[in-house]
């Protein structure tokens, strides 16, 4: 752009800024605020303009920070409803609140914008007199963009201390009446926050849209073929028999977070997605959502209908859990829930002590049916914990190690009559803290659940010792082998300090720990961390959830340890919990080691690594190789053997883009695994860090949803220089020199062009799993 054009633009910005930022009494000038009607059909002029010209800018420049529960100020710019709702000063993630707060879930907890205003949300669009001048002057969104353009920051350098990128940073969330004071006190607070301003063309596009009343349209409706599948599935899930109704309730409580699609009816990599919801109305009528805190709470209707609602918001990687439905899947559900010979004489109660306990609520359904159902989509079930509301923040996640593998007990061996009888006999001991609802007194009820867990583990261990007394059955034959074709049989979980990821396959170097899940453990993890977790609950509820998960982690680890030789089981467990105080959870589980010998023959002096290899061999036919770190070629392969001094300085997740000689790009993810002496401490995690044991894994493709660093390697020579320099990094100054040479920093003048490239490449790699990344955790180094 010519200098004269930029100069004219600068004058216009300054003049406009003086007008808007100088106003303090909007009501006197533009009248009282009133909610506006902004919805238009997607085929109309304004609707088409929004979808084709405005929505892409919002997605690529704004939604990368403003989406989901953790969006700053609860401002969700991923849908017309979220834009119109605006912002709130109340935090969703607040680990200190004494009382549960009212939920604020878009579409569920208010039916229109006025109801959100009544709940304290303030607009980011002008709601006063609708004139071009007022629509700009009265818009928080417009003035936030304008503030950034008028206060540009240094290019390629580090941002100053006035920028706070911490997860729980203070949030201002100004209304338009407060914006003048906000701009004066925080001139650096323009949007996008801590990132370069949007381009002149993008600004002009948004300005034109806002000036003309910010009309918005929903995306186009699903294809006719997809709607036909919706009708078929709604018929299947809403049949009148009690057996069908109980099965539908169970299916819903496990799939309600999924993004459902129909691959046979839409071959696109971006199909239409649907959410399984509870409705007051039957199929064929408009959906009337049942809004409850939890998916199993009392719906207060005589009949619940399970409906498929079109997902019209932008797809975000951090919440995207695609689930393909087909004729084959429907037949599988019939085989699991309708075909088996069992009778349902009445539907379970919605009283909390029943509905929060799946072993009570669904006791009529055979264990094998429920377990097979969960195993079929095991990655999806675990993703509910990883991508659902619970999985945010260090305290929520320090209950798991940074890198571990997950396998499962075979359903044929885990659903024998003796196991089913054990679960029925101890259904009260398997109760979860969520039955206390969202306001919990931490200590008073904690002991109750601790004692119940102790009773169940004691009985489970006793039964296992009886069944496995001679050790002949305690072998890798206990492990589910994916029925010979299902790659959900082997999973890897990565913790990235305050976020996490689960993928198929045993990814990376041999981890410190491994989980071996049985049905009861898998079910409790889901109902503790997904179905039963209330992100709006009080500190007691959140603390209970965190502490109870200690029990479940220990139980999963113990199942794995019991496959080791008897004489090393305690030794391995002691190593995993070095330097730990005897916490309540460990005290309860201290007698959970089996007395039965293993039936596995070990030939090395490292039985744990040998067991990893034996399990991987058993699962080899179904082991996903998508993220095989051994497939990475030199020189990048050297990053899998970095010295710990360099690893210590790495962020948790780094995306690496490598330009090929043909102009195409390859993508890699460099994952930093924080090592711990133990993870039994709730708050003092730093004291448990084993820094010299940190490891890093470089895998092809993308793992994680919150990149903290983006590295761009322009050619082979650039790649060799990057690897060599990173291997030598041992202090912060050296790391900053590395970022200056190879990183796409927050302040990079072409940040947004590289961001677009990153997402284009991610779409090629991830296909139907693609969603927008979140930039809230990008480092400033």
């Amino acid at each position: 752009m010519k200098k004269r054009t930029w100069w004219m633009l600068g004058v216009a910005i300054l003049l406009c800024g003086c007008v808007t930022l100088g106003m303090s009494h909007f009501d006197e000038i533009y009248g009282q605020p009133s909610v506006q009607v902004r919805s238009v059909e997607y085929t109309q002029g304004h609707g088409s303009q929004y979808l084709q010209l405005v929505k892409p800018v919002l997605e690529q420049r704004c939604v990368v920070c403003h989406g989901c529960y953790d969006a700053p100020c609860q401002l969700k710019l991923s849908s017309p409803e979220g834009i119109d709702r605006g912002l709130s000063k109340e935090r969703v993630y607040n680990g200190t609140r004494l009382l549960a707060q009212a939920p604020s879930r878009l579409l569920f907890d208010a039916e229109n914008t006025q109801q959100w205003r009544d709940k304290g949300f303030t607009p980011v669009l002008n709601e006063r007199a609708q004139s071009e001048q007022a629509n700009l002057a009265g818009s928080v969104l417009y003035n936030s963009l304008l503030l950034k353009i008028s206060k540009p920051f240094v290019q390629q350098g580090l941002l100053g201390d006035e920028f706070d990128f911490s997860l729980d940073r203070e949030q201002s969330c100004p209304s338009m009446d407060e914006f003048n004071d906000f701009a004066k006190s925080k001139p650096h607070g323009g949007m996008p926050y801590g990132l370069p301003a949007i381009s002149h063309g993008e600004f002009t596009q948004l300005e034109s849209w806002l000036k003309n009343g910010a009309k918005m349209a929903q995306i186009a409706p699903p294809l006719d073929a997809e709607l036909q599948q919706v009708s078929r599935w709604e018929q299947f899930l809403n049949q009148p028999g009690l057996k069908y109704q109980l099965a539908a309730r169970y299916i819903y409580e496990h799939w309600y977070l999924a993004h459902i699609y129909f691959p046979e009816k839409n071959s696109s990599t971006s199909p239409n997605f649907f959410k399984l919801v509870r409705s007051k109305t039957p199929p064929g009528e408009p959906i009337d959502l049942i809004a409850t805190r939890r998916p199993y709470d009392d719906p207060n209707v005589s009949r619940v209908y399970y409906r498929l609602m079109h997902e019209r918001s932008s797809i975000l990687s951090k919440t995207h859990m695609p689930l393909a439905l087909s004729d084959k899947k429907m037949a599988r559900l019939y085989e699991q829930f309708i075909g088996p010979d069992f009778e349902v004489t009445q539907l379970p109660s919605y009283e909390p002590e029943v509905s929060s306990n799946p072993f009570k609520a669904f006791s009529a359904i055979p264990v094998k049916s429920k377990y097979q159902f969960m195993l079929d989509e095991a990655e999806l079930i675990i993703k509910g914990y990883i991508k659902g509301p619970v999985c945010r923040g260090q305290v929520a996640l320090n209950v798991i190690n940074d890198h571990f593998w997950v396998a499962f007990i075979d359903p044929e061996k885990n659903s024998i009559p003796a196991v089913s009888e054990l679960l029925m006999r101890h259904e009260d001991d398997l109760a979860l803290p969520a039955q206390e609802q969202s306001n919990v007194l931490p200590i008073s009820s904690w002991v109750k659940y601790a004692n119940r867990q102790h009773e169940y583990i004691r009985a489970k261990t006793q039964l296992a010792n009886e069944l496995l007394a001679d050790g002949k059955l305690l072998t890798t034959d206990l492990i589910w082998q994916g029925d010979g074709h299902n790659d959900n049989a082997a999973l890897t979980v990565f913790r990235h300090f305050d976020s996490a990821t689960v993928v198929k396959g045993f990814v990376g170097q041999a981890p410190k720990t491994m989980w071996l899940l049985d049905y009861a453990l898998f079910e409790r993890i889901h109902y503790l961390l997904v179905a039963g977790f209330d992100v709006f609950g009080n500190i007691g509820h959140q603390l209970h959830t965190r502490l109870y998960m200690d029990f479940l982690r220990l139980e999963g680890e113990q199942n794995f340890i019991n496959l080791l030789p008897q004489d090393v089981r305690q030794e391995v467990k002691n190593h995993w919990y070095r330097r730990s105080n005897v916490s309540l959870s460990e005290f309860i589980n201290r007698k959970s080691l089996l007395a039965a010998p293993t039936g596995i023959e070990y030939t090395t002096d490292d039985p744990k690594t040998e067991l990893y290899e034996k399990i991987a061999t058993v699962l080899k036919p179904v082991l996903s190789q998508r993220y095989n770190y051994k497939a990475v070629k030199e020189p990048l392969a050297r990053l899998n053997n970095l010295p710990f001094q360099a690893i210590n300085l790495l962020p948790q997740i780094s995306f690496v883009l490598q330009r090929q000689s043909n102009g195409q790009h390859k993508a890699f993810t460099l994952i930093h695994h924080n090592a711990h002496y133990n993870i039994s401490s709730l708050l003092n995690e730093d004291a448990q860090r084993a820094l010299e044991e940190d490891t890093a894994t470089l895998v092809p493709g993308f793992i994680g949803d919150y990149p903290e660093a983006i590295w761009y390697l322009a050619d082979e020579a650039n790649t060799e220089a990057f690897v060599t320099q990173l291997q030598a990094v041992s202090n912060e100054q050296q790391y900053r020199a590395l970022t200056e040479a190879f990183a796409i920093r927050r302040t990079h003048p072409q940040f947004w062009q590289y961001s677009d490239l990153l997402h284009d490449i991610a779409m090629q790699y991830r296909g139907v799993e693609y969603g927008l990344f979140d930039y809230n955790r990008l480092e400033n180094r």
Side-chain angles (χ1 to χ4, degrees):
M1 182 180 286
K2 295 180 179 179
K3 290 183 178 180
R4 177 176 172 79
T5 308
W6 277 114
W7 178 82
M8 292 176 65
L9 175 62
V11 171
I13 289 171
L14 289 173
L15 289 175
C16 190
C18 290
V19 172
T20 55
L21 298 181
M23 290 184 178
S24 60
H25 302 292
F26 282 91
D27 293 354
E28 297 177 10
I29 302 171
Y30 298 115
Q32 292 292 320
S34 177
V35 171
Q36 302 296 309
V37 177
R38 304 187 191 278
S39 178
V40 294
E41 291 295 323
Y42 75 98
T43 55
Q44 294 179 355
H46 285 300
S48 178
Q49 178 198 35
Y50 170 77
L51 293 173
Q52 295 179 22
L53 302 177
V54 176
K55 185 173 182 285
V57 176
L58 292 175
E59 285 188 336
Q60 298 296 329
R61 304 293 180 260
C62 306
V63 177
V64 288
C65 288
H66 285 278
C68 192
Y69 290 107
D70 59 353
C73 302
Q74 296 194 56
L75 176 57
K76 296 180 66 173
L77 299 174
S78 51
S79 69
E81 295 91 349
I83 296 170
D84 213 26
R85 178 177 74 166
L87 50 81
S88 170
K89 297 182 188 299
E90 191 167 29
R91 294 174 178 268
V92 172
Y93 288 96
N94 182 353
T96 62
R97 56 176 169 251
L98 299 179
L99 296 176
Q101 74 182 47
S104 53
R105 298 161 299 179
L106 204 59
L107 302 182
F108 284 86
D109 297 313
E111 296 180 1
N112 53 55
T113 303
Q114 184 55 56
Q115 290 183 6
W116 288 120
R117 295 291 169 268
D118 296 339
K119 291 176 179 285
F121 280 76
T122 58
V124 295
L125 303 175
N126 175 47
E127 291 189 343
R128 294 175 171 83
Q130 294 295 292
S131 66
E132 291 188 355
Q133 182 183 11
N135 286 337
L136 297 182
S139 168
V140 170
L141 177 58
Y142 178 74
N143 282 277
S144 297
L145 296 171
L146 197 64
L147 181 60
K148 167 53 66 78
I149 293 176
S150 65
K151 301 288 183 181
F153 51 52
V154 62
Q155 293 188 354
Q156 268 295 50
L158 300 184
L159 296 174
D161 293 339
E162 69 272 19
F163 287 92
D164 184 357
F165 299 116
S166 60
L167 194 61
D168 294 313
R169 64 181 179 269
E170 178 187 351
Q171 297 179 6
S172 299
C173 314
S175 66
M176 200 58 240
D177 290 327
E178 301 166 332
F179 198 88
N180 186 30
D181 292 337
F182 167 77
K184 290 179 179 178
S185 63
K186 298 185 177 179
H188 62 283
M191 298 295 155
Y193 180 74
L195 292 168
I198 63 177
S199 71
H200 172 54
E202 291 164 342
F203 178 82
T204 301
Q205 192 63 62
L206 293 183
E207 181 183 50
S208 174
W209 169 65
L210 292 165
K211 186 187 298 183
N212 289 293
K215 300 298 183 183
M216 293 177 282
Q218 300 290 357
I219 61 174
L223 303 175
D224 288 342
E226 292 173 318
L227 292 175
Q228 290 173 8
Q229 288 301 306
V230 167
S231 178
R232 287 189 68 239
W233 277 91
E234 287 187 347
Q235 285 182 327
F236 176 78
L237 293 169
N238 291 288
Q239 297 189 53
L242 294 183
K243 201 172 186 179
Y244 276 99
Q245 291 183 53
L246 184 64
R249 176 169 163 179
Y250 185 80
I251 292 167
Y252 164 74
E253 291 182 13
H254 290 76
W255 282 2
Y256 72 99
L257 289 178
H259 280 152
I260 291 168
Y261 70 104
F262 305 103
E264 296 175 355
K265 306 303 175 182
N266 190 329
S267 59
S268 168
T269 57
S270 301
N272 283 290
F273 293 101
F274 301 84
K275 299 293 288 286
L276 187 57
V277 298
R278 297 198 298 181
S279 174
K280 300 173 185 176
T281 51
E285 297 181 17
I287 293 174
D288 187 356
L289 289 172
I290 294 172
T292 57
R293 281 182 180 268
R294 297 177 175 84
Y296 54 68
D297 284 347
D298 192 342
N300 293 310
V301 294
S302 59
R303 173 72 193 272
V304 172
Y305 296 97
Y306 300 96
R307 308 288 303 278
L308 288 169
M309 181 175 68
H310 188 202
E311 176 59 82
R312 301 184 297 189
S313 296
S314 303
I315 299 299
L316 311 176
S317 179
K318 61 185 176 182
T319 57
H320 189 36
M321 293 176 265
L323 170 64
L325 294 189
S326 62
D327 292 345
K328 184 178 179 181
K329 174 62 78 173
M330 186 179 290
R332 176 67 165 166
L333 295 180
Y334 187 93
E335 172 190 322
Q336 291 168 336
F337 294 110
I338 308 304
D341 184 18
F342 69 93
E343 185 180 4
V344 179
T345 57
Q346 67 178 42
L347 295 176
S349 163
Y350 283 106
E351 289 298 316
E353 62 269 18
V354 174
S355 63
S356 68
N357 186 337
F359 307 99
K360 283 188 175 183
F362 303 105
S363 59
I365 302 177
V367 168
K368 183 178 179 181
S369 296
K370 293 180 288 190
Y371 191 28
Q372 284 181 330
F373 166 79
M374 296 182 74
L375 290 176
D376 283 352
E377 304 290 347
E379 183 194 34
L380 175 77
I381 302 299
I382 296 290
K383 272 185 180 178
Y385 162 35
I386 300 299
K387 291 177 179 272
V390 69
C391 200
R392 188 268 198 187
Q394 178 255 347
V395 173
L397 284 161
N398 70 3
V399 72
I400 62 174
N401 280 289
D402 266 46
H403 176 210
F404 60 94
W405 293 344
V406 181
F408 305 89
I409 300 294
D410 188 283
E412 295 293 342
K413 299 174 178 64
N414 196 220
S415 57
I416 60 176
V419 173
S420 298
E421 290 169 10
L422 172 73
L423 298 182
M424 291 181 64
R425 192 165 61 250
H426 289 272
E427 62 180 19
D428 286 329
D429 293 331
L430 294 168
L432 296 162
Q435 81 172 37
E436 307 287 342
Q437 300 292 279
S438 297
N439 285 305
V440 181
L441 296 175
I443 302 302
S444 60
S445 57
W446 170 246
V447 175
K448 174 175 66 177
Y449 291 101
N451 290 333
R452 287 176 174 178
Q453 172 71 2
H454 172 70
E455 284 302 309
Y456 169 68
I457 291 295
R458 182 193 58 77
K460 175 185 173 182
T461 303
Q462 180 180 339
L463 176 62
N465 281 327
E466 293 171 0
L467 294 175
L468 306 170
D470 59 4
K472 292 181 180 179
L473 298 178
L474 196 55
T475 69
T476 54
D477 288 343
L478 282 173
I479 295 173
W480 179 54
Q481 298 177 31
D483 303 324
H485 62 83
N486 193 331
D487 58 4
N488 281 279
L491 304 175
T492 299
V493 175
F494 299 101
R495 176 197 167 195
H496 318 303
F497 188 68
D498 52 23
S499 67
T501 306
V502 58
V503 295
K504 293 176 181 176
F506 288 157
V507 181
Q509 305 90 330
K512 173 184 173 183
T513 68
M514 182 171 179
W515 291 4
L516 188 55
L517 302 185
D518 55 41
Y519 163 68
L521 183 53
F522 200 11
E523 192 79 276
R524 279 181 293 158
I525 289 175
H526 176 74
Y527 275 85
L528 176 74
L529 301 176
V530 185
F533 181 76
D534 178 15
V535 69
F536 302 97
N538 78 336
I539 183 175
H541 166 69
Q542 298 182 45
L543 182 61
H544 265 201
T545 301
R546 159 59 176 87
L547 293 175
Y548 194 91
M549 186 56 202
D550 265 331
F551 294 155
L552 304 188
R553 183 198 69 249
L554 284 159
E555 190 178 339
E557 292 171 346
Q558 193 62 62
N559 288 342
F560 168 80
I561 287 176
N562 283 329
L563 290 174
L564 293 169
Q566 283 178 297
D567 60 347
V568 302
R569 292 173 187 170
Q570 191 62 53
E571 176 186 341
V572 170
K573 187 173 183 179
N574 289 344
H575 179 73
W576 288 357
Y577 292 92
R578 291 168 290 166
R579 301 189 185 183
S580 65
N581 295 319
V582 181
S583 70
L584 184 58
S585 55
E586 291 172 73
F587 172 78
I588 288 168
N589 284 279
R590 65 182 179 179
K591 295 183 178 180
S592 58
L593 290 170
L594 289 183
T598 181
I600 300 173
E601 183 178 347
Y602 290 92
T603 59
T604 71
D605 58 1
D606 185 3
K608 188 185 79 168
T609 299
E610 191 175 348
L611 181 55
Y612 284 150
E613 294 171 351
K614 290 179 182 295
I615 293 175
T617 299
V618 167
L619 295 177
K620 186 176 181 180
V622 296
L623 209 57
S624 172
Q625 298 298 319
R626 179 179 180 181
Y627 297 108
N628 184 3
Y629 78 106
K630 294 181 180 180
V632 178
K633 298 179 180 179
E634 293 289 347
L636 287 175
R638 302 207 301 268
L639 298 183
N640 281 304
N641 294 288
L642 285 170
F644 75 86
Q645 295 92 337
I647 297 173
N648 290 161
L649 289 158
L650 286 172
Q652 300 296 295
I653 287 289
S654 302
F655 289 162
V656 181
L657 301 181
Q658 183 190 42
R659 190 177 187 274
Q660 307 299 297
S661 58
N662 61 2
Q664 300 298 308
H665 290 82
K666 287 185 178 180
F668 304 87
T669 302
L670 182 59
I671 311 168
H672 174 188
H673 313 303
N674 289 350
H676 300 81
Y677 296 115
N678 68 80
I679 51 172
S680 60
S681 175
L682 177 61
L683 296 176
N684 193 21
E685 182 172 358
D686 286 344
Q688 305 302 331
R689 287 280 282 112
L691 294 172
E692 295 184 4
E693 298 175 20
D694 279 13
T695 58
T697 303
L698 183 77
V699 298
F702 294 94
I703 285 180
D705 309 312
Y706 300 87
E708 295 176 53
I710 302 169
W711 306 94
Y712 188 81
L713 310 178
D715 51 38
E716 291 184 9
N718 207 229
T719 301
E720 177 65 43
F722 170 72
V723 172
T724 301
Q725 192 169 337
L726 177 52
Q727 288 177 308
V729 165
S730 61
N731 57 54
E732 182 64 21
Q733 184 178 0
Q734 292 174 338
Y735 180 80
R736 289 188 178 181
L738 185 76
T739 62
E740 186 173 355
F742 302 101
I744 308 301
R745 283 172 163 167
R746 283 178 169 271
T747 53
H748 195 290
Q750 281 82 47
F751 176 88
W752 291 117
Q753 289 93 321
Y754 281 104
S755 173
D756 291 341
L757 175 64
L758 175 71
H759 281 95
D760 288 343
I761 297 170
M763 187 177 294
Q764 297 169 21
Y765 271 81
R766 287 188 161 182
V768 75
E769 297 177 357
Y770 169 78
L772 295 164
F773 294 122
D774 188 294
Y775 289 157
N776 276 296
R777 290 167 173 77
L778 276 176
E779 64 181 8
N780 176 38
R781 297 169 67 191

